[in-house]
């Protein structure tokens, strides 16, 4: 039976009026609040304000979501598969874009470590990198490759042994993206002439990912490869190995 939890006490009339004026969930709220909790807006969220979960959120989590979204919300239980499909849908629907207001972030001339760290901590860069991670996870990719060329930064994933390009970005974002990845992997953010190896611990929804990071200097900038290991998939029962 579908479980529904009313999050805010409002009259039926007030609720209908508020829901009629509601707006789609914002990218920041989705990526930083809902997705890490394993909660997804329903497909008709703009008219119902319904959020779907597979694991019951705590009272504190529900209060935090209500405060952040500032709307009368209804929570309902769904299957893990439904929540996974909804999260995938909203990742694509809320795909971050780099508009003209972000142009100043991508100019050249970031040479010192502090400037590069500031660049890597800018919200548009964080959203972009997190979005690329989520897309790779949706594809069950084993690797993510960031490959700069003369005119662009290609992002490719290895899926079932086949390399597939998932994004082609302007070359001017390369410094920002590379700095973000190196900062997350605790590498020397200012070192661009020598190869480096590091590791990123990254959680998205209920998945805990272990990413091994390798950088390699090139003619057009550093190429970066992330090898993905999903820790939640590493536990195997003995019976699955054919052992009694």
């Amino acid at each position: 039976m579908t479980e529904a939890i009313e999050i805010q006490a409002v009259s039926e009339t007030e609720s209908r009026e508020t829901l009629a004026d509601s707006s789609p969930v914002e990218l920041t709220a989705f990526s930083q609040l809902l997705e890490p909790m394993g909660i997804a807006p329903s497909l008709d969220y703009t008219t119902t304000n319904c959020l779907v979960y597979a694991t019951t959120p705590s009272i504190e989590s529900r209060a935090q979501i209500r405060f952040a979204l500032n709307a009368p919300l209804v929570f309902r239980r769904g299957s893990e598969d439904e929540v996974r499909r909804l999260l995938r849908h909203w990742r694509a629907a809320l795909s971050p874009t780099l508009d003209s207001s972000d142009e100043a972030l991508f100019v050249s001339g970031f040479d010192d470590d502090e400037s590069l760290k500031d660049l890597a901590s800018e919200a548009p860069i964080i959203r972009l990198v997190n979005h690329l991670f989520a897309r790779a996870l949706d594809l069950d990719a084993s690797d993510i490759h960031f490959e700069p060329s003369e005119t662009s930064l290609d992002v490719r994933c290895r899926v079932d042994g086949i390399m597939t390009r998932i994004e082609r970005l302007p070359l001017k974002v390369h410094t920002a993206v590379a700095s973000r990845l190196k900062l997350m992997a605790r590498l020397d953010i200012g070192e661009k002439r020598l190869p480096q190896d590091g590791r990123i611990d990254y959680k998205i929804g209920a998945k805990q990912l272990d990413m091994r990071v390798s950088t390699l200097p090139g003619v057009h900038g550093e190429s970066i490869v992330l090898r993905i290991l999903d820790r939640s998939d590493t536990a195997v029962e003995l019976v699955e190995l054919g052992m009694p």
Side-chain angles (χ1 to χ4, degrees):
M1 179 180 295
T2 301
E3 177 182 351
I5 304 174
E6 289 289 348
I7 297 299
Q8 185 169 337
V10 294
S11 68
E12 184 175 356
T13 302
E14 291 173 336
S15 178
R16 287 174 181 168
E17 291 175 353
T18 305
L19 293 177
D21 296 333
S22 63
S23 58
V25 65
E26 295 182 354
L27 174 62
T28 302
F30 173 77
S31 61
Q32 297 183 11
L33 183 62
L34 298 178
E35 188 174 22
M37 293 183 182
I39 299 173
S42 62
L43 293 178
D44 57 355
Y45 174 82
T46 54
T47 57
T48 65
N49 276 17
C50 180
L51 299 177
V52 185
Y53 62 87
T55 302
T56 305
S58 66
I59 295 176
E60 292 78 8
S61 295
R62 295 198 296 268
Q64 183 182 4
I65 294 171
R66 180 183 63 186
F67 177 80
L69 298 184
N70 191 28
L73 302 175
V74 174
F75 280 45
R76 73 168 175 84
R77 183 185 299 278
S79 66
E80 291 186 1
D81 183 63
E82 179 186 9
V83 173
R84 186 163 48 248
R85 285 187 286 105
L86 286 172
L87 288 173
R88 185 175 301 175
H89 166 81
W90 286 103
R91 284 190 202 114
L94 298 173
S95 175
T97 57
L98 302 174
D99 54 37
S100 57
S101 63
D102 300 323
E103 290 290 326
L105 297 177
F106 309 126
V107 296
S108 59
F110 290 95
D111 296 323
D112 62 281
D113 289 2
E114 289 304 317
S115 295
L116 289 172
K117 288 179 181 178
D118 290 342
L119 176 65
S121 301
E122 292 287 348
I125 305 304
I126 295 174
R127 288 197 299 267
L128 176 61
V129 171
N130 288 348
H131 171 69
L132 294 172
F133 286 173
R135 289 192 62 185
L137 184 62
D138 285 341
L139 295 171
D140 290 327
S142 60
D143 302 72
I144 312 175
H145 293 244
F146 294 83
E147 303 171 341
S149 64
E150 186 175 355
T151 59
S152 63
L153 172 62
D154 287 340
V155 183
R156 301 198 299 161
C157 289
R158 187 183 302 277
V159 181
D160 295 331
I162 300 175
M163 295 296 293
T164 303
R165 191 180 73 202
I166 63 171
E167 196 75 61
R168 170 163 283 175
L169 302 169
L171 184 61
K172 61 186 176 183
V173 309
H174 174 262
T175 298
V177 171
S179 297
R180 178 62 188 169
L181 295 173
K182 290 161 73 174
L183 182 65
M184 295 177 71
R186 299 180 178 85
L187 300 178
D188 183 348
I189 201 169
E191 179 58 71
K192 301 179 181 179
R193 297 170 297 176
L194 298 174
Q196 297 188 74
D197 294 296
R199 172 180 171 181
I200 296 175
D201 291 321
Y202 187 78
K203 185 175 183 180
I204 179 169
K207 290 184 176 291
Q208 185 71 43
L209 304 181
D210 183 4
M211 301 185 185
R212 305 301 170 92
V213 183
S214 298
T215 71
L216 183 66
V219 175
H220 303 293
E222 291 176 290
S223 295
I224 301 179
V225 178
L226 282 69
R227 292 176 175 83
I228 305 172
L229 174 64
D230 185 353
R231 292 182 186 173
S232 61
D233 289 341
T234 57
V236 181
E237 298 291 339
L238 290 178
V239 292
E240 297 180 38
L241 298 176
M243 301 178 66

